[in-house]
Amino acid sequence: MKEKYDLIFSLGSFPLVSELLKEKELQIYDFPFDKISGGDLLTRLSLLLLDFNDFIEQKNIVKQENMPVEGVVQYKDIKTGFIYHSDFDEKIPVENNYPLVKLRYDKYIRNLNVCINVAKKILIIYVENPQFKEDDVDNEDLILELVQKLKYKYPKKEFKFLYVKHDENAKDIKVSAVGSFAQKIILNFYKRFSEMSAYEFDLVSLSIIISNLALKQSFRQKKILYLQRIIKFLRNFSN
């Protein structure tokens, strides 16, 4: 039987995590960590616990130079380490672009706060990004501290935390408990599928870790999902 939650959301550390949740209809709204990569687990936890104070400030946003892929333009927050892949338009100065980006992320933050307030059983998922290995903090004490602080801040909520770790030597999926309310899953989800291919995320492996999850849906959420399915169908049909 699938385990049901009132709210499931991604803490990162890259956009593919929330994309998978939305594809499996486990996440309905856009949340603040959905579209960014970079930064470490501690930074993300701190922002969540501190109500996203100073989440994105104009003075900290800089254009990344010397990108490895020609034609790719990204912007980085030098304070948090977050990388914004598509929020900033390179043809527009940051100071002109920032107000709309800030407005967008304020909306994502409100979405998450509202969903947390109405939910009782909440699952937070964090998948480390092997491309930014040096930024990740694989620390079970940190995970336990997160859960305890969340329980203290939201005493009427039931939080669970899922930490997914990449191990290129893993032959299968290993699951271990971290305290009573957290799990660590270790698997090889960033691999080369042939000697000629580049490293890619194994979507099948990542999908397996969320295959036993389900989202409790209100009538309003069901309506939103229905509309999202129609929009997705029309986009696929037009292509």
Side-chain angles (χ1 to χ4, degrees):
M1 181 180 294
K2 293 188 175 183
E3 189 165 7
K4 288 190 174 183
Y5 294 88
D6 301 302
L7 172 63
I8 301 172
F9 71 93
S10 164
L11 200 63
S13 62
F14 53 105
L16 182 60
V17 185
S18 62
E19 290 172 11
L20 282 173
L21 290 176
K22 291 171 184 174
E23 180 184 326
K24 301 299 181 182
E25 297 188 346
L26 297 173
Q27 180 181 327
I28 297 173
Y29 305 101
D30 290 322
F31 296 136
F33 296 115
D34 288 356
K35 304 178 188 299
I36 59 177
S37 60
D40 58 24
L41 177 58
L42 181 59
T43 299
R44 292 166 184 261
L45 299 183
S46 299
L47 286 166
L48 178 63
L49 290 166
L50 297 174
D51 299 319
F52 296 94
N53 287 334
D54 303 326
F55 181 79
I56 177 173
E57 294 184 298
Q58 179 183 319
K59 64 182 181 181
N60 297 325
I61 304 299
V62 298
K63 183 178 178 180
Q64 286 195 287
E65 305 293 342
N66 303 319
M67 291 295 296
V69 180
E70 185 177 353
V72 173
V73 178
Q74 296 177 348
Y75 289 79
K76 184 173 184 177
D77 188 316
I78 58 175
K79 180 180 179 180
T80 61
F82 294 154
I83 296 173
Y84 295 86
H85 299 273
S86 57
D87 289 294
F88 291 90
D89 188 339
E90 64 173 314
K91 299 176 182 177
I92 303 174
V94 170
E95 59 269 24
N96 294 343
N97 216 343
Y98 175 79
L100 284 177
V101 176
K102 179 67 164 58
L103 192 65
R104 189 182 306 138
Y105 276 87
D106 285 346
K107 177 185 176 182
Y108 298 159
I109 291 169
R110 285 196 302 272
N111 286 348
L112 183 57
N113 286 336
V114 169
C115 289
I116 289 177
N117 286 336
V118 300
K120 292 183 179 179
K121 189 174 182 181
I122 302 169
L123 176 66
I124 303 174
I125 299 177
Y126 181 84
V127 181
E128 68 175 27
N129 188 343
Q131 295 174 330
F132 296 92
K133 189 73 174 179
E134 68 277 6
D135 292 331
D136 279 303
V137 181
D138 178 15
N139 187 323
E140 293 189 359
D141 290 335
L142 185 63
I143 297 172
L144 289 170
E145 184 179 352
L146 160 71
V147 177
Q148 291 301 324
K149 287 186 175 181
L150 284 172
K151 289 172 65 177
Y152 179 79
K153 183 172 182 177
Y154 302 99
K156 296 183 180 180
K157 312 293 181 183
E158 180 185 344
F159 280 96
K160 288 194 176 181
F161 189 84
L162 185 62
Y163 185 104
V164 182
K165 178 179 176 60
H166 167 71
D167 181 357
E168 63 180 9
N169 297 315
K171 302 299 182 183
D172 50 20
I173 299 175
K174 179 181 178 181
V175 181
S176 60
V178 183
S180 304
F181 302 99
Q183 281 186 332
K184 180 191 287 185
I185 297 181
I186 302 174
L187 71 158
N188 180 5
F189 61 82
Y190 189 64
K191 59 183 68 174
R192 294 174 66 179
F193 293 93
S194 71
E195 292 184 0
M196 301 298 293
S197 68
Y199 279 90
E200 301 176 42
F201 291 104
D202 184 350
L203 299 184
V204 174
S205 295
L206 287 173
S207 296
I208 288 174
I209 66 174
I210 59 174
S211 60
N212 66 332
L213 305 177
L215 182 68
K216 298 177 185 177
Q217 299 172 3
S218 66
F219 178 72
R220 183 172 184 272
Q221 290 173 324
K222 290 178 181 178
K223 286 175 59 179
I224 294 173
L225 281 172
Y226 180 71
L227 290 173
Q228 288 175 346
R229 291 187 199 119
I230 292 176
I231 293 171
K232 184 178 180 180
F233 171 80
L234 291 175
R235 285 176 177 169
N236 292 336
F237 182 77
S238 63
N239 293 332

